[in-house]
Amino acid sequence: MTEQPGRHSGQPPLGETVRWAALQYRSHLELVYPLAVFGLVSLLLDIRVELLSDLFTLDDSFGIEADTELLSSVLSEPVARVLAPVLEEVFVLLVLGVLGLFALVTMVFFVVVGIIFLLVADERSGTERLQFGRTVVAVKRLPAVLGASIVAVPLIVLGSVFLVIPGLYLFTRFALGAPAIVVDGHGPIEGLRVSWRRTDEQFVEVFLTAVVGLAVVAAVGFVPVVGELVSVFLLLPTVALTLGVLYVDSG
């Protein structure tokens, strides 16, 4: 089928799309389960990062030094003195563990938003499919989504170096790549190409959803407990559902 770029004249305004997304979320509360998994692994990552930042410091020679006072507050002082050198020796392994957990959070994130994109496609087409079926598809498409990220992220970062604006522009143009890959089965490069075409006539809508929306998700997520819950269980699914609609309805 020939790709039809651009925002169709029959598409609703962005405000109506967001309201539709919110209603769909209320109608499909089974989305809470994958979101809870994402929230849990994100929380574990936050705890690990905070623990490492509190436990280790740089000494005058830029070496890694364990905080024995912190260890002593949790363990006895003799145990802390013995344990500190051991932790310093395995610091690299601890960092690799954090990086591995970050990779897991990234993969879970893409699977969760993939499930949401497939839900939008099913609702827009009237297709009946269980969440398990959507999860299987999202997992199968995960390597392609990660491949597209490997291509797009360095370009976005490079663009951000030049006064930020080019990076935001590229982020917007590539924002529909994940739904293109998950919903329509495109490969990594073709998914990015499809995203570029489909943002031609709806650039502002995609920018407000992907850039501004995700910025709000991240900002609210920095507020402990309440902000994190609102970010994961309310804002993130609404943004993902809206982004899915912008992709599906422009096809």
Side-chain angles (χ1 to χ4, degrees):
M1 184 176 66
T2 303
E3 186 69 33
Q4 299 294 328
R7 185 171 176 81
H8 294 180
S9 59
Q11 284 183 274
L14 183 60
E16 293 185 16
T17 301
V18 173
R19 284 192 290 271
W20 182 87
L23 289 174
Q24 288 304 311
Y25 185 38
R26 291 175 58 185
S27 301
H28 294 274
L29 292 179
E30 68 271 15
L31 291 176
V32 168
Y33 300 115
L35 288 167
V37 174
F38 172 69
L40 178 60
V41 292
S42 298
L43 178 61
L44 291 176
L45 177 61
D46 290 342
I47 293 173
R48 291 287 295 274
V49 171
E50 185 175 352
L51 182 60
L52 280 183
S53 63
D54 291 341
L55 187 56
F56 294 96
T57 56
L58 285 175
D59 57 25
D60 296 335
S61 60
F62 297 99
I64 297 299
E65 189 176 70
D67 189 341
T68 53
E69 291 186 6
L70 178 62
L71 290 173
S72 299
S73 65
V74 179
L75 307 169
S76 63
E77 186 173 345
V79 174
R81 285 199 301 267
V82 173
L83 185 59
V86 176
L87 292 176
E88 292 167 3
E89 289 294 328
V90 300
F91 175 76
V92 174
L93 295 179
L94 296 176
V95 172
L96 290 177
V98 170
L99 293 177
L101 191 54
F102 175 78
L104 177 62
V105 170
T106 302
M107 290 187 288
V108 172
F109 172 80
F110 281 132
V111 170
V112 171
V113 296
I115 294 170
I116 293 174
F117 295 149
L118 291 166
L119 171 63
V120 172
D122 290 346
E123 288 294 325
R124 290 312 227 199
S125 64
T127 302
E128 293 288 340
R129 180 165 40 179
L130 295 177
Q131 180 160 288
F132 177 78
R134 299 187 191 108
T135 304
V136 170
V137 175
V139 171
K140 287 182 177 179
R141 301 306 300 162
L142 179 59
V145 175
L146 292 174
S149 300
I150 292 173
V151 174
V153 170
L155 294 175
I156 294 170
V157 172
L158 183 62
S160 299
V161 173
F162 299 98
L163 302 177
V164 179
I165 294 177
L168 296 179
Y169 176 80
L170 289 174
F171 187 91
T172 303
R173 297 303 295 239
F174 292 147
L176 299 182
I181 293 169
V182 175
V183 173
D184 289 331
H186 293 296
I189 303 301
E190 184 59 26
L192 295 177
R193 289 174 177 169
V194 170
S195 176
W196 195 280
R197 292 196 293 269
R198 293 204 184 186
T199 52
D200 275 343
E201 296 180 16
Q202 55 177 358
F203 181 88
V204 174
E205 290 86 352
V206 176
F207 175 83
L208 292 174
T209 303
V211 178
V212 178
L214 289 177
V216 172
V217 171
V220 174
F222 278 112
V223 180
V225 186
V226 175
E228 293 171 344
L229 292 174
V230 171
S231 178
V232 171
F233 291 103
L234 181 60
L235 298 179
L236 176 59
T238 303
V239 169
L241 284 163
T242 303
L243 202 61
V245 174
L246 292 176
Y247 172 77
V248 171
D249 286 4
S250 64

